Amino acid sequence: MPAAPTVNLLYADSLRLTDCRRCNNPPFHKRTVPMKKISMAAALIGLVLTACSGGQQTAAESSAHSSGQQTAAESSAPSSHTASDKLNIYNWSDYVDPATLEAFEKNTHINVRYDYYDSNEALEAKLLTGKSGYDLVAPSIANVGRQIKAGAYQKIDKSQIPNYANIDADLLAMMAKVDPGNQYAVPYFWGINTLAINKKLVQKALGTEQLPENEWDLVFNPEYTKKLKSCGISYFDSAIEQIPLALHYLGKDPNTENPDDIKAAVNMMKKVRPDIKRFTSSGYIDDMAAGNLCVSVGYGGDLNIAKTRAQEAKNGVEIEVLAPKSGVGIWVDSLMIPRDAQNTANAHKYINHTLDPEVAAQNGNFVTYAPASRPARALMDEKYTGDASIFPTKELMDKSFIVSPKSTDASRLSVRLWQSLKAGK
Ligand code: SPD
């Protein structure tokens, strides 16, 4: 067993010490390494083209997955452990259809413990102690490279994942920018950071049905926020999700490491801080569905879950998930095996399960995100595959940005400024 990584926690001073408390998934049982800023534009363009063209290229067809790379990954396969009937998963809240977990347990006789979080900061805090206690986690693309460099993960063994060939090759190309050779991270879902509105409450607060030309004005422009304050605006409870959106709104590089630009973005949000009711990265689902918020910045799929819950509750709340013309933040979440994982064979079985087209489609319909398993998309409900907040259009992607890795200095500055913003200082 390799030694546990010894890494200081980048986000230690901004952590929520407990995991997400408002999630609705049923419970089953010394220094961070700076990363160079990387360009992912080419990968983004590729993802758009296949996402929108209905192309069927998968990993198996991609030259990025030559037999040479496959062999290299397999030759450094994780150490095997005694066969066990356990699997410990730590994943985002609202990110799996519990029925697919039950089917996995039934078919494999593996008992799954499934815990969840709602921010990359919470995951990183647990992971980088080197004693996560989990066999599978799901960090976002912005965190993957830094965590790999910190020694937080085992390599995956692709020979144990026959469904690996189903993965969208463009997602793998995107992930290869932070995980060269796709040795550690197996894409799970991808999606956008966007915003949603309660149509009736927003119309009432603004006095018109007409939304601003730039929909982000609803949460960043005081002219709008002062009116919407009465019905409730929420931001992400996460600097790494919220600040890039503010930078993009200001016309700056969303992934900048320039301290002045980061300060400008936070200062802009300070002007509307009194109008922000909540900072939440998962609680907005229930609050939007219940009509307790009228505008939320959130993950596209989660906002669609709020919409579905309101529809199911028949409570008169009508939610529209927006796909702002000026662009959104894009991310990919990947399944990864922590360094201290004890049930790695089962982790591989579960990864393979998630890439099965039927399972991925079932999960996709439930969580309303775009699955990495490309053939799953044709099996998903068309009301989701045709929704730009779940499967972004080319026009939207062209205006959008990938939430990318930041240096330690930029991350620390962002976290410090974010804390003062939240505190209203
Ligand atoms: N409920 C699942 C939310 C998944 C969000 N992934 C977020 C990635 C953000 N960078």
Side-chain angles (χ1 to χ4, degrees):
M1 186 66 192
T6 52
V7 187
N8 281 348
L9 304 181
L10 181 59
Y11 303 116
D13 47 358
S14 72
L15 290 176
R16 296 150 54 101
L17 293 177
T18 55
D19 296 336
C20 150
R21 289 175 216 149
R22 299 205 43 179
C23 313
N24 292 296
N25 282 331
F28 278 74
H29 342 262
K30 276 155 197 188
R31 212 172 154 79
T32 318
V33 183
M35 280 212 53
K36 282 202 171 112
K37 192 175 155 192
I38 52 174
S39 163
M40 299 191 190
L44 179 57
I45 289 163
L47 179 63
V48 173
L49 292 178
T50 42
C52 300
S53 67
Q56 291 299 312
Q57 189 190 30
T58 66
E61 297 153 1
S62 166
S63 59
H65 291 83
S66 63
S67 56
Q69 285 181 339
Q70 189 89 2
T71 303
E74 286 166 7
S75 68
S76 52
S79 53
S80 59
H81 296 283
T82 313
S84 88
D85 65 351
K86 293 187 175 49
L87 178 62
N88 302 299
I89 301 177
Y90 193 41
N91 200 346
W92 293 85
S93 52
D94 297 291
Y95 221 21
V96 69
D97 180 345
T100 66
L101 272 178
E102 283 160 20
F104 176 77
E105 290 187 306
K106 192 171 162 210
N107 295 338
T108 60
H109 305 290
I110 292 168
N111 297 307
V112 179
R113 175 169 68 99
Y114 199 99
D115 297 332
Y116 35 85
Y117 50 86
D118 70 354
S119 71
N120 278 297
E121 289 91 328
L123 168 60
E124 188 156 298
K126 193 159 283 195
L127 191 65
L128 295 186
T129 62
K131 293 181 182 166
S132 74
Y134 292 100
D135 304 306
L136 271 181
V137 297
S140 302
I141 188 168
N143 295 55
V144 163
R146 182 176 62 235
Q147 292 171 355
I148 290 173
K149 287 189 177 177
Y153 296 111
Q154 302 183 27
K155 288 183 181 174
I156 54 151
D157 176 3
K158 293 171 190 168
S159 72
Q160 295 183 47
I161 311 173
N163 287 328
Y164 195 90
N166 292 335
I167 302 174
D168 185 322
D170 295 317
L171 283 180
L172 285 171
M174 197 187 288
M175 287 307 301
K177 306 280 183 188
V178 293
D179 172 20
N182 300 112
Q183 297 183 90
Y184 294 88
V186 183
Y188 180 54
F189 281 104
W190 65 282
I192 66 172
N193 288 344
T194 186
L195 74 167
I197 58 168
N198 177 316
K199 289 175 79 171
K200 289 180 198 158
L201 292 182
V202 166
Q203 184 180 341
K204 190 170 167 207
L206 297 183
T208 170
E209 277 186 352
Q210 188 66 44
L211 293 180
E213 174 63 17
N214 181 354
E215 295 92 332
W216 287 110
D217 279 346
L218 294 170
V219 293
F220 291 132
N221 180 340
E223 270 182 44
Y224 288 89
T225 60
K226 69 184 177 202
K227 293 180 183 163
L228 296 165
K229 177 182 184 176
S230 57
C231 52
I233 301 172
S234 77
Y235 276 5
F236 278 120
D237 189 10
S238 165
I240 56 172
E241 310 294 351
Q242 188 71 36
I243 292 177
L245 293 169
L247 284 161
H248 188 63
Y249 178 76
L250 285 177
K252 297 181 184 294
D253 174 2
N255 292 308
T256 185
E257 299 189 347
N258 178 331
D260 290 338
D261 286 348
I262 295 171
K263 284 177 195 160
V266 174
N267 285 339
M268 175 191 73
M269 290 190 281
K270 278 189 176 171
K271 293 196 179 118
V272 298
R273 171 65 185 90
D275 303 337
I276 307 306
K277 182 175 179 181
R278 282 198 69 192
F279 291 85
T280 163
S281 297
S282 59
Y284 59 82
I285 298 178
D286 282 345
D287 277 337
M288 281 298 287
N292 296 330
L293 290 169
C294 61
V295 186
S296 279
V297 180
Y299 304 124
D302 290 15
L303 293 166
N304 276 287
I305 290 175
K307 175 178 171 175
T308 304
R309 280 192 193 151
Q311 285 165 347
E312 288 170 356
K314 296 188 171 55
N315 59 3
V317 169
E318 201 183 333
I319 292 172
E320 180 180 353
V321 185
L322 305 178
K325 293 178 282 301
S326 59
V328 295
I330 294 166
W331 43 261
V332 183
D333 292 337
S334 297
L335 292 172
M336 301 184 74
I337 302 177
R339 188 79 164 191
D340 65 319
Q342 295 299 307
N343 306 292
T344 56
N346 294 347
H348 283 84
K349 281 183 192 159
Y350 186 76
I351 293 173
N352 193 56
H353 169 75
T354 67
L355 293 170
D356 174 272
E358 299 277 354
V359 172
Q362 187 176 341
N363 276 333
N365 284 335
F366 191 90
V367 305
T368 50
Y369 284 103
S373 175
R374 184 147 190 91
R377 297 179 194 175
L379 306 176
M380 282 181 66
D381 192 324
E382 280 178 16
K383 80 175 171 214
Y384 299 136
T385 53
D387 185 325
S389 66
I390 300 172
F391 287 85
T393 60
K394 179 176 183 328
E395 290 67 34
L396 179 59
M397 296 284 271
D398 283 347
K399 297 280 186 186
S400 299
F401 62 92
I402 297 174
V403 185
S404 296
K406 310 290 182 310
S407 69
T408 304
D409 284 350
S411 297
R412 285 193 194 285
L413 175 65
S414 297
V415 167
R416 185 167 59 74
L417 295 174
W418 181 250
Q419 286 174 316
S420 82
L421 169 79
K422 280 179 65 183
K425 290 179 191 160

